[in-house]
Amino acid sequence: MTLPPFPVEDLLIHHPPAFEEEWRELIRKLMFTVVFFVLIAPNFIKAHYAKKTPPKRRDESFDDSFESLSIGNGKVITRTIINGKEQKVVAKQRKAKKNTAAKEKDSEEEDDKKVVEVPGFVFILLNIAFIFTIVTLILKSPNNIDTARRVYVAPLLRPEETASIIQMGHEAAARRADRAKKELALLKLENDDDKNGAAIYDLEKILEWPEGYKKDRHEAYPTTDLNVVVDFSQEDKKFLKKILDARLSPILERVYGVTRDSIRANDIFLVRYDGKGQNKLTVHQDSSHISFNVLLNDEFEGGGTRFHNRYDKTHMDAKPKVGQVLINNAVVHHEGLPTTKGTRYILVGFMNVDVKDPWTRERSDVSVFSTILSIPWLCVGLKQALMFSRISSNRAGNTNQVFSKNFYVNSMLSQSVIRFAEIGDASAPHGIVNLVDEKDTEKFLNTLEEYHQSHPMKGARWYSGQGIYTNLDGSFKSYWKERKQNPDKFREDL
Ligand SMILES: O=C(O)CCC(=O)C(=O)O
Ligand SMILES: [Fe+2]
């Protein structure tokens, strides 16, 4: 895998690992570990025990022995005792000599074999040490240390851009409210509550304060929000995409060591917290690999994002400046702290790293260390497997069954998700890391933009991959009816 150059490396005050070199180093260490534990250590142990074990004394009464007696005419009579029974063989002298030599050799080799007696527990310990070393090397690799539990802070938007995005949200909410009012009026005219009751309930929900915003997305942890793909205008999405391509793609590449063409947003949404409405989000982890969260304004009190460690129960709060983005591995437990006064706006994105492109099914260049050997991403994979397992269990006879309906398989998967998350929390240092000095914000953004203009590159998939589940074979299923109703909204080429 080759990552493109990061044009603002010299503006970083914290340098994430140089992944390609780190991975080569890790492969070298893993190879040395295998050679050491499979070839070197067992031979040392044998040599050690060979010295310690005294040569075995032969049992005189029940042992194989032989003696030769020359009887002239170039012939020899050989008397052999095998397990106490005497056998006599008459043979030509030369042959007999050969027989004698061969038997002496056999008997020496047998002695050698018998001499090295290594107690069984030594090899058990060796195997445990082998597995422990491999696991420790992987756990302490950059994907499980630097990128797993750290929250990175970087500049992303200029103040006027943050204000524009809030305005785009207001306009999108007003469009939704208008539509909802019209549809509601038509449904009410029909005067058929049995048929239209559910639809009327949904439309009235849209018209509740704050008007036009969604209040019931993200089932378990609903936020008051708008989805960029379906609710923003194509023009606004074009504006946003340019920023994300030029600025966020390279930051994500640099921090997570994955190329931008493997990154796919499965949701990008504008969230609002109001002192007198939905003002917080309780502790959760996101359903993706990587999350970003940009603060769009500061006319509020309270707020901020709290990140938790499940293992030692500590936490830390991120209070970014307007326009700064927080990026973190989605598996880190976090919450939106209560906004006590005013309105707090943030733009949030959930992103996946696809090992296979869901459309072409081609393998992306993602290193195995950033996928199954990275605990946070392994957790996401296990969660996905669990979800498939449950989907399969729900629909009897489902031909797409990926995992088992079996209760034990489901329990094992859900336990693994929890335990791996705890191992991740226990093994990696947590922290909030500022990537760029505030005074260099303009320079950082300008340089990224200039580089993007002079080296145009396809960005990540910001819109086309939203609202889908990828299957283990790389194919995908959609879970948003909007995808089918408005395929145009999911286009990347705006
Ligand atoms: O309010 C915040 O800063 C957290 C938002 C969040 O975690 C989410 O929307 O998933
Ligand atoms: Fe979240």
Side-chain angles (χ1 to χ4, degrees):
M1 181 176 70
T2 319
L3 291 167
F6 189 58
V8 279
E9 189 70 38
D10 56 345
L11 291 179
L12 296 184
I13 50 175
H14 170 97
H15 295 267
F19 286 97
E20 286 161 74
E21 185 40 48
E22 294 280 354
W23 288 328
R24 274 197 289 274
E25 176 69 20
L26 179 59
I27 289 171
R28 278 196 288 272
K29 283 182 185 160
L30 289 174
M31 275 166 35
F32 176 75
T33 306
V34 172
V35 170
F36 179 79
F37 281 97
V38 173
L39 297 176
I40 302 174
N43 280 320
F44 266 113
I45 290 170
K46 266 190 184 168
H48 176 75
Y49 279 94
K51 271 189 230 147
K52 271 195 159 179
T53 318
K56 257 202 155 180
R57 294 198 52 187
R58 298 169 68 81
D59 184 338
E60 296 293 329
S61 55
F62 273 102
D63 205 350
D64 306 348
S65 65
F66 57 88
E67 58 188 59
S68 304
L69 189 69
S70 179
I71 54 169
N73 298 341
K75 287 192 178 161
V76 174
I77 184 162
T78 308
R79 203 170 131 258
T80 313
I81 300 167
I82 297 171
N83 283 350
K85 285 186 189 149
E86 189 186 68
Q87 288 180 6
K88 280 184 192 162
V89 177
V90 179
K92 284 213 186 265
Q93 191 151 20
R94 222 164 359 113
K95 213 170 164 188
K97 268 191 182 157
K98 225 164 121 189
N99 279 348
T100 311
K103 283 191 175 165
E104 270 168 2
K105 199 171 163 235
D106 278 358
S107 136
E108 269 168 25
E109 272 175 11
E110 216 165 279
D111 269 354
D112 275 354
K113 268 187 221 155
K114 281 180 194 158
V115 161
V116 188
E117 271 179 5
V118 181
F121 79 89
V122 173
F123 282 106
I124 293 173
L125 285 182
L126 192 69
N127 280 323
I128 292 173
F130 179 44
I131 293 166
F132 180 79
T133 312
I134 296 270
V135 171
T136 309
L137 281 175
I138 292 169
L139 265 183
K140 298 293 175 193
S141 71
N143 275 307
N144 285 315
I145 290 287
D146 300 80
T147 64
R149 295 303 192 274
R150 270 195 195 127
V151 179
Y152 291 88
V153 187
L156 188 76
L157 300 172
R158 301 187 174 91
E160 65 276 15
E161 292 163 343
T162 57
S164 304
I165 295 170
I166 294 176
Q167 183 56 27
M168 289 170 194
H170 290 329
E171 287 165 16
R175 282 194 297 275
R176 291 190 84 237
D178 265 4
R179 254 195 332 266
K181 278 176 196 159
K182 283 181 192 139
E183 280 173 34
L184 199 58
L186 287 175
L187 290 182
K188 284 196 167 161
L189 270 181
E190 283 185 24
N191 208 5
D192 184 349
D193 267 5
D194 282 350
K195 187 177 137 216
N196 300 328
I200 290 175
Y201 174 85
D202 286 346
L203 292 167
E204 280 176 344
K205 192 105 191 141
I206 295 176
L207 294 175
E208 274 174 19
W209 186 87
E211 215 180 61
Y213 278 83
K214 295 174 174 171
K215 286 111 191 161
D216 46 10
R217 280 187 347 118
H218 306 118
E219 279 164 54
Y221 301 93
T223 41
T224 302
D225 61 21
L226 292 163
N227 170 264
V228 165
V229 173
V230 293
D231 300 324
F232 276 35
S233 73
Q234 297 291 78
E235 201 184 316
D236 292 348
K237 277 153 62 180
K238 201 167 167 177
F239 167 88
L240 209 57
K241 181 178 159 59
K242 257 174 83 176
I243 292 178
L244 298 175
D245 276 347
R247 308 179 202 165
L248 191 59
S249 286
I251 299 175
L252 293 175
E253 260 177 0
R254 180 67 189 89
V255 170
Y256 292 101
V258 291
T259 50
R260 62 192 74 182
D261 53 5
S262 64
I263 297 173
R264 170 178 55 83
N266 58 41
D267 202 351
I268 299 183
F269 52 104
L270 176 83
V271 187
R272 62 178 282 169
Y273 294 99
D274 291 279
K276 58 181 175 93
Q278 199 229 340
N279 67 348
K280 63 174 185 182
L281 193 58
T282 50
V283 183
H284 65 284
Q285 66 182 57
D286 302 325
S287 309
S288 49
H289 291 134
I290 305 169
S291 300
F292 76 78
N293 174 337
V294 200
L295 182 66
L296 299 176
N297 73 328
D298 56 5
E299 293 102 33
F300 61 87
E301 283 174 19
T305 318
R306 177 165 288 177
F307 293 91
H308 295 264
N309 185 330
R310 299 169 191 76
Y311 176 71
D312 62 15
K313 312 280 184 250
T314 56
H315 62 75
M316 67 223 159
D317 295 345
K319 300 234 175 197
K321 302 269 167 8
V322 176
Q324 281 185 330
V325 63
L326 301 178
I327 45 182
N328 61 276
N329 231 303
V331 83
V332 184
H333 252 179
H334 60 281
E335 65 180 307
L337 293 170
T339 297
T340 49
K341 208 171 168 190
T343 303
R344 171 177 173 243
Y345 290 97
I346 52 174
L347 183 73
V348 176
F350 295 158
M351 289 159 297
N352 273 52
V353 176
D354 290 323
V355 176
K356 277 186 190 168
D357 183 300
W359 282 265
T360 62
R361 309 257 189 112
E362 269 172 34
R363 282 194 75 82
S364 60
D365 225 0
V366 183
S367 147
V368 66
F369 297 112
S370 347
T371 54
I372 51 168
L373 294 185
S374 160
I375 288 200
W377 297 358
L378 179 67
C379 282
V380 176
L382 286 168
K383 253 171 96 176
Q384 217 172 353
L386 181 65
M387 200 182 66
F388 278 121
S389 172
R390 285 183 179 157
I391 289 172
S392 311
S393 325
N394 291 343
R395 299 186 206 145
N398 185 338
T399 49
N400 282 334
Q401 187 171 320
V402 178
F403 277 90
S404 168
K405 295 176 185 181
N406 190 306
F407 165 79
Y408 295 102
V409 174
N410 278 320
S411 310
M412 192 198 71
L413 283 170
S414 53
Q415 276 301 309
S416 310
V417 173
I418 298 166
R419 299 299 155 225
F420 272 117
E422 278 176 2
I423 292 172
D425 274 1
S427 58
H430 290 226
I432 298 173
V433 179
N434 212 357
L435 287 173
V436 183
D437 197 314
E438 228 188 305
K439 71 172 174 21
D440 289 327
T441 297
E442 252 323 289
K443 203 168 165 201
F444 181 82
L445 297 178
N446 284 340
T447 314
L448 282 177
E449 255 159 13
E450 281 159 18
Y451 188 84
H452 186 68
Q453 267 166 16
S454 52
H455 302 78
M457 243 187 282
K458 241 179 81 186
R461 280 186 196 276
W462 303 115
Y463 304 140
S464 56
Q466 290 205 19
I468 62 170
Y469 287 130
T470 48
N471 296 324
L472 294 183
D473 65 356
S475 63
F476 69 86
K477 269 198 228 98
S478 163
Y479 59 91
W480 281 357
K481 64 177 188 303
E482 281 104 330
R483 272 195 84 94
K484 291 197 186 89
Q485 290 167 348
N486 299 299
D488 245 22
K489 290 195 168 178
F490 290 78
R491 277 174 43 191
E492 209 70 61
D493 55 330
L494 297 162

